[in-house]
C-alpha cells in the first residue's frame, strides 16, 4: 500500500467534521454471506435506536426478486469500529420487507421473540460460543501453511502449538483478538486448533441475544482482516476430508437456575429435553455437519445423543467443576462452525426453558 493511501486511511476526521461513518452489516440470502455498506451520520450516536433504517437491493443478495427488490435494514446493535476508529461504528442490522415483516433469512427476529419471553429473560441465559474456523490460501483454497496439493505431518503438534512449522496465521488471530476487544466484543480467548491452519476464538459469557450479535460482529471483523491479508476465511465444518479434525462452534450455556445451588439437577433435566429434541436441533445446527459429526475427532455420532462429564466425544459435555460444585453450565458440542448463533442460542433457551415435553 502506498504511503499516501495509508495516510488517507488513517485520517482523523474529528478536527474537521462532526460526521461519523456507520458501517451497516447484515446477513445475505445464504445465511452465511456477510454484507455491509457505509453511510455518514451527522454526529456520534450511543444507541441503535438513534440510527435511521436503510435499504438495499435484495435481488443482488438472494433475498428479493428484481421487480420488487427493496429490503429494509433495521439497526439492532452498535460496536466501535476498529478499522476507522474515532467515533465511527459498526452496526449489526437485521432485514425486513418494506411492509415490516422479517425476511425468511432474518433469524434474529424469531430469536428476539424467544429471548424477550418473560420466562427466558428471568433466567438470564448466558452463552459462551467457541468459534472454530480455517484459514485458506486464496488462489488454491487449501489451508494456510500446507504444501499446495500436499499435506503437513499428522495431527498432534498443532493444537495450541508454537513455531514456524506448527502455527500458521497467528498475526491474523492476534489482530482479530485486539480488534474485537476494541469493538467491545466480549472475546474471552483464542487458541490454535488440532488441524493446522485452524484456529478458535471464544465469545462470552454474554447474555441472551447479545451473544449472537457479538459473534456475528466478530465474524465480520475476521472477514475484513482476512480480506486485507489476502487469506480466505472458511467456516466449513469439515474443510479437509480424512484424518483431520472438523470445525465446530461449541455452545456453552447456563441459566440463573443452573448457576445456583442444586443447579446440576436442573442441568440434567435440560439435557434430557435436548435428548428428546435431538433431531430438531441437529437439523438447525449447521449445513454439512454430518461430515463432521462422525463419532471420531472429538465428536459424537450425528444420529445418537449422548452426554457425559468431561467427555469430548459426547453430544453434550458437563465440566468436572460443574459436577463437583453441583451447579454451573454445560456445553452443547453439536453445533457446526457455520451455525447461525441466533438460531442455536434461542433454540437451546426455547427447548430447555419454554418447551414442555
Amino acid at each position: 500500500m502506498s504511503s499516501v493511501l495509508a495516510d488517507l486511511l488513517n485520517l482523523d476526521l474529528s478536527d474537521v467534521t462532526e460526521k461519523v461513518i456507520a458501517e451497516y452489516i447484515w446477513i445475505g440470502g445464504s445465511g452465511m454471506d456477510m454484507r455491509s455498506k457505509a453511510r455518514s451520520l451527522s454526529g456520534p450516536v450511543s444507541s441503535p435506536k438513534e440510527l435511521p433504517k436503510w435499504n438495499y437491493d435484495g435481488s443482488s443478495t438472494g433475498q428479493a426478486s428484481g421487480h420488487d427488490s427493496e429490503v429494509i435494514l433495521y439497526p439492532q446493535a452498535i460496536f466501535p469500529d476498529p478499522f476507522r476508529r474515532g467515533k465511527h461504528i459498526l452496526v449489526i442490522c437485521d432485514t425486513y420487507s418494506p411492509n415490516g415483516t422479517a425476511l425468511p433469512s432474518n433469524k434474529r427476529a424469531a430469536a428476539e421473540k424467544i429471548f424477550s419471553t418473560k420466562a427466558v429473560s428471568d433466567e438470564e441465559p448466558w452463552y459462551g460460543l467457541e468459534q472454530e474456523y480455517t484459514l485458506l490460501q486464496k488462489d488454491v483454497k487449501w489451508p494456510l501453511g500446507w504444501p499446495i496439493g500436499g499435506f503437513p505431518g499428522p495431527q498432534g503438534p498443532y493444537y495450541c502449538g508454537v513455531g514456524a512449522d506448527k502455527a500458521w496465521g497467528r498475526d491474523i488471530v492476534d489482530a482479530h483478538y485486539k480488534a474485537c476487544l476494541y469493538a467491545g466484543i466480549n472475546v474471552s480467548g483464542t487458541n490454535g486448533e488440532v488441524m493446522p491452519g485452524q484456529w478458535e476464538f471464544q465469545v462470552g459469557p454474554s447474555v441472551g441475544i447479545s451473544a449472537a450479535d457479538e459473534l456475528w460482529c466478530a465474524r465480520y471483523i475476521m472477514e475484513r482482516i482476512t480480506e486485507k491479508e489476502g487469506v480466505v476465511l472458511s467456516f466449513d465444518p469439515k474443510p479437509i476430508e480424512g484424518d483431520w479434525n472438523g470445525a465446530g462452534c461449541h455452545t456453552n450455556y447456563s441459566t440463573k437456575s443452573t448457576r445456583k445451588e442444586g443447579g446440576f439437577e436442573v442441568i440434567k433435566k435440560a439435557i434430557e429435553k435436548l435428548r428428546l429434541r435431538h433431531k430438531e436441533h441437529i437439523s438447525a445446527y449447521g449445513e454439512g455437519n454430518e461430515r463432521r459429526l462422525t463419532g471420531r475427532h472429538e465428536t459424537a455420532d450425528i444420529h445418537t445423543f449422548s452426554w457425559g462429564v468431561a467427555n469430548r466425544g459426547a453430544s453434550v459435555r458437563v465440566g468436572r467443576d460443574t459436577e463437583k460444585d453441583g451447579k454451573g453450565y454445560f456445553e452443547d458440542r453439536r453445533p457446526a462452525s457455520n451455525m447461525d448463533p441466533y438460531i442455536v442460542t434461542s433454540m437451546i433457551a426455547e427447548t430447555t426453558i419454554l418447551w414442555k415435553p
Side-chain angles (χ1 to χ4, degrees):
M1 186 196 293
S2 73
S3 61
V4 176
L5 202 53
D7 286 349
L8 288 171
L9 281 170
N10 293 320
L11 267 183
D12 180 3
L13 300 178
S14 59
D15 298 339
V16 292
T17 180
E18 284 283 293
K19 286 186 173 173
V20 299
I21 302 169
E23 189 77 32
Y24 278 44
I25 301 162
W26 72 95
I27 299 150
S30 77
M32 273 309 283
D33 56 318
M34 303 199 75
R35 312 277 179 143
S36 76
K37 60 177 185 168
R39 69 181 295 162
S40 302
L41 306 173
S42 56
V45 297
S46 54
S47 155
K49 290 188 176 69
E50 299 170 54
L51 290 165
K53 290 173 185 167
W54 203 8
N55 63 63
Y56 67 92
D57 167 19
S59 71
S60 298
T61 61
Q63 291 170 296
S65 62
H67 63 271
D68 185 13
S69 66
E70 198 163 284
V71 175
I72 315 298
L73 292 169
Y74 287 31
Q76 299 291 2
I78 57 176
F79 299 90
D81 183 341
F83 303 103
R84 295 187 178 110
R85 304 185 195 170
K87 292 190 163 66
H88 308 299
I89 53 174
L90 303 176
V91 184
I92 294 291
C93 304
D94 60 353
T95 50
Y96 294 80
S97 65
N99 70 10
T101 52
L103 293 195
S105 56
N106 175 359
K107 306 304 180 190
R108 193 187 189 281
E112 181 76 273
K113 280 199 183 101
I114 290 167
F115 283 118
S116 55
T117 308
K118 188 175 186 304
V120 174
S121 60
D122 284 353
E123 279 289 353
E124 278 174 34
W126 292 2
Y127 296 91
L129 305 171
E130 304 175 29
Q131 177 69 70
E132 293 179 341
Y133 59 93
T134 310
L135 299 173
L136 304 176
Q137 301 169 57
K138 188 168 80 146
D139 296 326
V140 289
K141 302 281 168 70
W142 197 239
L144 211 58
W146 289 36
I148 292 178
F151 297 88
Q155 296 186 151
Y158 310 109
Y159 172 70
C160 299
V162 182
D165 56 346
K166 299 179 220 43
W168 297 298
R170 190 184 298 278
D171 283 354
I172 289 172
V173 172
D174 278 351
H176 176 257
Y177 198 163
K178 284 188 166 177
C180 285
L181 291 176
Y182 179 93
I185 295 167
N186 190 18
V187 168
S188 47
T190 182
N191 59 269
E193 266 308 326
V194 177
M195 187 183 97
Q198 205 169 70
W199 296 81
E200 170 182 304
F201 63 88
Q202 302 95 28
V203 167
S206 300
V207 182
I209 204 158
S210 63
D213 286 337
E214 288 182 32
L215 185 66
W216 273 115
C217 193
R219 284 174 170 179
Y220 174 82
I221 290 170
M222 180 57 94
E223 287 276 19
R224 287 280 303 274
I225 291 169
T226 51
E227 171 195 311
K228 191 98 191 79
E229 289 303 301
V231 170
V232 173
L233 173 62
S234 170
F235 292 113
D236 190 300
K238 185 76 175 178
I240 305 293
E241 292 303 320
D243 201 10
W244 303 98
N245 273 37
C249 193
H250 300 156
T251 301
N252 299 276
Y253 171 71
S254 72
T255 62
K256 211 181 250 181
S257 302
T258 72
R259 294 188 293 267
K260 64 185 191 199
E261 294 309 315
F264 192 28
E265 291 310 308
V266 181
I267 286 172
K268 285 183 194 164
K269 285 185 183 129
I271 292 172
E272 175 55 19
K273 283 179 159 189
L274 289 173
R275 182 185 71 78
L276 293 172
R277 293 192 78 196
H278 177 63
K279 273 202 174 110
E280 291 92 321
H281 279 255
I282 285 292
S283 68
Y285 273 15
E287 215 172 302
N289 211 6
E290 71 287 344
R291 292 182 283 118
R292 166 181 162 258
L293 296 181
T294 59
R296 297 181 62 221
H297 305 113
E298 299 178 58
T299 69
D301 178 76
I302 195 166
H303 303 294
T304 318
F305 182 89
S306 59
W307 77 276
V309 175
N311 181 358
R312 283 185 158 75
S315 313
V316 170
R317 178 184 71 89
V318 175
R320 283 257 176 256
D321 285 351
T322 297
E323 182 188 44
K324 186 164 91 342
D325 299 341
K327 60 184 178 185
Y329 72 96
F330 64 85
E331 173 192 49
D332 191 339
R333 297 178 61 81
R334 297 170 295 171
S337 48
N338 59 358
M339 64 83 145
D340 186 327
Y342 293 128
I343 295 176
V344 170
T345 57
S346 61
M347 195 174 197
I348 292 172
E350 183 188 34
T351 295
T352 59
I353 300 169
L354 299 176
W355 186 59
K356 303 280 186 278

